[in-house]
Amino acid sequence: MLDKLINFASWFFVTGDPLIYGADVAIVVTVIAIVFALTYFKKWGWLWREWLTTVDHKRVGIMYIVSALLMLFRGGFDALMLRTQLSFPDMKFLSPEHYNQVFTTHGVIMILFMAMPLMFGLFNIAVPLQIGARDVAFPFLNALSFWLFFFGAMLFNMSFVIGGSADAGWLSYPPLSEMTGSPGVGEDFYIWGVQISGIGSLMTGINFIATIVKMRAPGMSWSRMPMFTWSVLASCIAIIAAFPVLTVTLALLFVDRYLGAHIFTMDGGGNAMMYVNLIWMWGHPEVYIVVLPAFGVYSEVVATFSKKRLFGYASMVFAMMAISVVSYYTWLHHFFTMGSGANVNTFFAISTMIISIPTGVKIFNWLFTMYRGRLSFPTPMLWTIAFIPCFVIGGMTGVMLSVAPADFQFHNSYFLIAHFHQVLIGGAVFGYFAGLFYWWPKIFGFKLNETIGKWAFWVWNIGFYVCFMPQYVVGLDGMTRRISTYGWDKGWWGLNFASTVGGFLMGIGFLFLVWQIAHSIKFMEMDTTGDPWGGRTLEWSIPSPAPLYNFATTPIVTDRDEWWEEKQRMAAGKAEKKRQELSPIHMPKNSAIPFLQAICWFTAGFGLVFHWLWIAIPGFLGVAATLLAHSFNYDTDYYISVDEIKRREAAARRTV
């Protein structure tokens, strides 16, 4: 019996690597510390009432942001392990197998479990406040979306200590991802972690389209909608077009692995190229899904800190929506070298070049907004300024990659790696950092320390260029991606070492970011105005942090920059009473069902990973039971009385 347990444990748990043992210890210590703290401070009830069962869009947004920062740490640590392995030729830090697992998990975590939740966090924080709504259209669905993302991410992250990680790349091309290429459970962790999380992302896209279309304040026509809200709408349109493709693709791959089908295997009449087409029909719109909201953040930040109305509003909206649509017709440029034919390559080369035009339009709009503006440079504006040259370089190298004949040279090289990171980090991550710092006072009621924030900014940016500029050179010199070592004769070690130094500088920049948050929590610089930046949109018209119900009365919008114009009218003594009288506010009740249903999805996914139907079937039955319970739950809302609203408003206004 003991031998059987030992054999099972050696198969079930990942063993033999000191790095994994260190991770095991860190996980156990962290869990014990969390349990101890919650028990010692008697916070279990608070955790359940205020967070695990909440449907408040602001708290859901905070949970997305916290999860994203944790995933940034995990994905960043993976990146540092990769760079350490490549810092010198013939390094023995990571075995080839472990290296493959690390670069696979790094890509998945950074795109799907860091950038996406950071984006969704800002969706939840800003959009309802910008459009004058009290919550999203479907609060229950919003909470379920978060918990599906969270437990999908947890399922995927378990694989590096249980069962073994996926090692076929972040998009898991067949035949590497089929049972013949990946006979372990790593690919199944990938499939079900991404699948469960992706379902939550699709729900978020539907929810925010409904919110923006149906819940705008009176007077907020399409031409008066804030630019960040427009960018969220454009991103969500791409989400509902692209994510069903991901769902179907992963389901087909699982059918191949679980039932022995041959949808993507040549020997059974299938075709691996069909998988490549399908995954990139999701994968390339996904790049724009995460970048478009960052463009919206830049628009808000530039207008606010230039003290000017955004230049070219209509052209900016058109550019956003054009990117949302055209992004769905550029996927094949990711595999120009795979024999699709000259005519097909030509079409996708042209569509890729075309999509650079609306991006260029936005760059000029931001520059013209800053032109002759009354500029100030707090941390959000610094990240925005840094984005422009970074994204221009990334965009130009993207146009180079769009030329099909040239792509035969660039493809699969470190030139492509540098381009991809330049666009995704410089475009999306810089934007989400700017948005996080910009809306932080509205989320928590206090500002982040500017001095430490500037240190984080400069260290991160210097590290970024030191890390990725050398990769363009080694890529053009022939260094291909996904190799774990190389010889001294290649002449690449100097540039690779510099790139590794840059990577560690970015890691130090992240530590500065953590220090900035911790320092600001300890020495809070409270926002006593509700409008610390001199904002232009409705979220800055209410106290910080935003009340539970957001707006005591529904705002009436008469201008694109409604709050800015209202402040000008108040300063001139011309403000008119536009708000309604107080009345009871209808709000959704908290619900445990989203949390419990996500646990059931996690259970079902875990069972399918190991092909244990005795776990998977109860998990799916739990999903059905929670759906049924919710369908018969009619006690889903309540009203906040006028007296309670007055009490809350009086308490909030005393600090303003």
Side-chain angles (χ1 to χ4, degrees):
M1 183 65 179
L2 181 61
D3 290 339
K4 289 183 178 180
L5 287 175
I6 293 173
N7 289 335
F8 173 80
S10 63
W11 167 78
F12 187 69
F13 294 102
V14 178
T15 59
D17 191 321
L19 293 171
I20 300 298
Y21 294 142
D24 291 335
V25 172
I27 291 170
V28 171
V29 170
T30 301
V31 170
I32 292 173
I34 292 172
V35 171
F36 174 80
L38 290 171
T39 304
Y40 181 80
F41 293 106
K42 300 179 180 179
K43 290 294 185 179
W44 286 105
W46 166 83
L47 179 67
W48 178 258
R49 291 188 306 272
E50 301 296 328
W51 296 98
L52 300 184
T53 62
T54 187
V55 296
D56 179 10
H57 71 95
K58 298 178 288 296
R59 293 190 176 225
V60 171
I62 292 169
M63 290 192 292
Y64 268 122
I65 290 169
V66 171
S67 301
L69 292 177
L70 291 174
M71 291 296 101
L72 178 59
F73 171 77
R74 164 74 206 280
F77 194 80
D78 284 345
L80 295 183
M81 287 196 292
L82 297 175
R83 288 310 324 163
T84 300
Q85 172 62 26
L86 293 172
S87 57
F88 288 101
D90 301 323
M91 280 285 284
K92 307 298 182 184
F93 178 67
L94 296 175
S95 67
E97 294 78 15
H98 195 183
Y99 183 89
N100 290 346
Q101 292 174 352
V102 171
F103 80 67
T104 298
T105 56
H106 168 72
V108 176
I109 286 171
M110 287 303 208
I111 296 292
L112 291 170
F113 301 140
M114 186 279 290
M116 290 290 285
L118 195 50
M119 175 182 83
F120 288 152
L122 296 181
F123 282 18
N124 275 278
I125 295 299
V127 169
L129 300 180
Q130 283 200 329
I131 65 174
R134 293 202 169 99
D135 211 309
V136 295
F138 307 112
F140 175 91
L141 191 67
N142 195 36
L144 180 59
S145 299
F146 167 75
W147 288 115
L148 286 176
F149 147 74
F150 180 82
F151 281 104
M154 291 303 100
L155 183 62
F156 179 83
N157 276 273
M158 284 176 61
S159 63
F160 79 105
V161 293
I162 296 177
S165 298
D167 60 0
W170 80 280
L171 291 177
S172 287
Y173 284 5
L176 288 176
S177 56
E178 297 281 0
M179 290 299 290
T180 53
S182 298
V185 296
E187 284 303 317
D188 298 300
F189 271 114
Y190 170 92
I191 289 170
W192 286 103
V194 174
Q195 188 76 290
I196 293 170
S197 177
I199 294 171
S201 298
L202 180 59
M203 290 178 178
T204 299
I206 295 169
N207 203 347
F208 276 88
I209 288 178
T211 301
I212 294 167
V213 171
K214 299 297 291 184
M215 298 186 68
R216 301 192 308 279
M220 184 173 283
S221 62
W222 293 108
S223 60
R224 292 174 180 168
M225 206 159 71
M227 191 53 64
F228 179 71
T229 302
W230 268 114
S231 72
V232 171
L233 180 62
S235 179
C236 288
I237 290 171
I239 285 174
I240 64 171
F243 267 82
V245 179
L246 175 67
T247 302
V248 171
T249 306
L250 294 179
L252 293 175
L253 181 60
F254 186 74
V255 168
D256 266 14
R257 291 179 58 84
Y258 189 72
L259 298 178
H262 295 283
I263 299 169
F264 302 126
T265 56
M266 299 296 288
D267 57 350
N271 190 341
M273 280 302 299
M274 183 164 64
Y275 179 93
V276 178
N277 273 280
L278 287 171
I279 201 70
W280 279 116
M281 286 175 69
W282 160 78
H284 196 79
E286 166 65 10
V287 173
Y288 289 102
I289 285 168
V290 297
V291 167
L292 280 169
F295 291 162
V297 171
Y298 297 133
S299 299
E300 301 292 342
V301 169
V302 165
T304 296
F305 297 112
S306 299
K307 300 292 188 293
K308 281 179 62 181
R309 188 181 288 263
L310 184 68
F311 180 89
Y313 177 92
S315 63
M316 191 75 102
V317 171
F318 179 80
M320 294 273 194
M321 302 311 290
I323 288 173
S324 178
V325 174
V326 179
S327 69
Y328 208 73
Y329 298 95
T330 59
W331 78 83
L332 195 129
H333 68 223
H334 290 275
F335 46 99
F336 277 148
T337 63
M338 296 186 186
S340 299
N343 291 336
V344 173
N345 282 2
T346 299
F347 173 86
F348 284 92
I350 293 172
S351 66
T352 304
M353 295 174 191
I354 287 173
I355 206 170
S356 66
I357 297 172
T359 304
V361 167
K362 292 194 293 297
I363 296 290
F364 283 107
N365 283 355
W366 293 317
L367 292 174
F368 286 136
T369 302
M370 288 185 276
Y371 179 65
R372 291 187 175 179
R374 290 178 290 161
L375 296 174
S376 57
F377 297 96
T379 312
M381 189 64 164
L382 289 179
W383 285 103
T384 301
I385 296 293
F387 146 79
I388 293 177
C390 184
F391 201 76
V392 167
I393 295 171
M396 288 191 301
T397 54
V399 173
M400 293 171 65
L401 287 162
S402 74
V403 180
D407 187 69
F408 276 73
Q409 170 65 33
F410 305 138
H411 186 78
N412 217 35
S413 74
Y414 260 82
F415 185 93
L416 176 62
I417 295 294
H419 157 76
F420 188 75
H421 285 81
Q422 188 113 32
V423 171
L424 263 294
I425 296 178
V429 178
F430 283 17
Y432 296 146
F433 282 173
L436 182 61
F437 301 144
Y438 180 64
W439 281 303
W440 186 278
K442 189 55 59 181
I443 304 170
F444 297 106
F446 63 92
K447 293 176 69 174
L448 290 172
N449 183 277
E450 282 289 310
T451 301
I452 304 174
K454 288 181 169 66
W455 274 99
F457 166 81
W458 284 110
V459 173
W460 185 291
N461 273 268
I462 292 169
F464 176 84
Y465 284 99
V466 173
C467 181
F468 292 108
M469 290 299 107
Q471 293 182 17
Y472 284 114
V473 180
V474 294
L476 291 175
D477 200 34
M479 183 173 176
T480 57
R481 57 183 174 153
R482 300 178 178 176
I483 60 170
S484 61
T485 188
Y486 54 92
W488 285 96
D489 60 319
K490 300 295 185 182
W492 298 334
W493 78 268
L495 291 171
N496 272 292
F497 182 77
S499 183
T500 300
V501 171
F504 276 89
L505 282 175
M506 293 174 69
I508 295 171
F510 176 79
L511 295 179
F512 271 107
L513 174 62
V514 174
W515 178 27
Q516 178 190 19
I517 294 173
H519 181 277
S520 302
I521 291 173
K522 184 176 181 179
F523 305 100
M524 290 185 181
E525 182 184 343
M526 299 303 297
D527 172 23
T528 59
T529 67
D531 184 16
W533 307 120
R536 309 182 71 86
T537 44
L538 287 175
E539 71 267 32
W540 304 110
S541 67
I542 58 177
S544 300
L548 172 65
Y549 44 77
N550 295 346
F551 298 89
T553 58
T554 303
I556 298 173
V557 176
T558 60
D559 196 275
R560 185 186 307 156
D561 294 331
E562 175 60 26
W563 176 235
W564 177 264
E565 295 301 327
E566 179 70 8
K567 288 187 290 186
Q568 306 310 306
R569 290 190 289 265
M570 288 190 290
K574 298 179 181 179
E576 299 178 3
K577 183 177 177 60
K578 298 185 298 180
R579 295 178 179 267
Q580 307 159 1
E581 295 299 321
L582 285 176
S583 60
I585 295 176
H586 178 254
M587 296 295 292
K589 282 186 175 180
N590 285 0
S591 175
I593 293 177
F595 179 73
L596 297 176
Q597 186 178 134
I599 290 178
C600 293
W601 274 105
F602 175 89
T603 303
F606 186 81
L608 289 172
V609 164
F610 288 96
H611 297 190
W612 293 341
L613 294 181
W614 57 277
I615 291 179
I617 290 175
F620 282 121
L621 289 175
V623 172
T626 53
L627 289 172
L628 191 65
H630 180 62
S631 67
F632 285 98
N633 178 22
Y634 300 104
D635 185 23
T636 59
D637 47 24
Y638 69 102
Y639 283 88
I640 301 177
S641 68
V642 172
D643 289 341
E644 176 67 10
I645 298 168
K646 289 180 178 179
R647 186 189 67 79
R648 288 173 178 260
E649 287 294 299
R653 299 295 174 184
R654 277 197 295 270
T655 65
V656 175

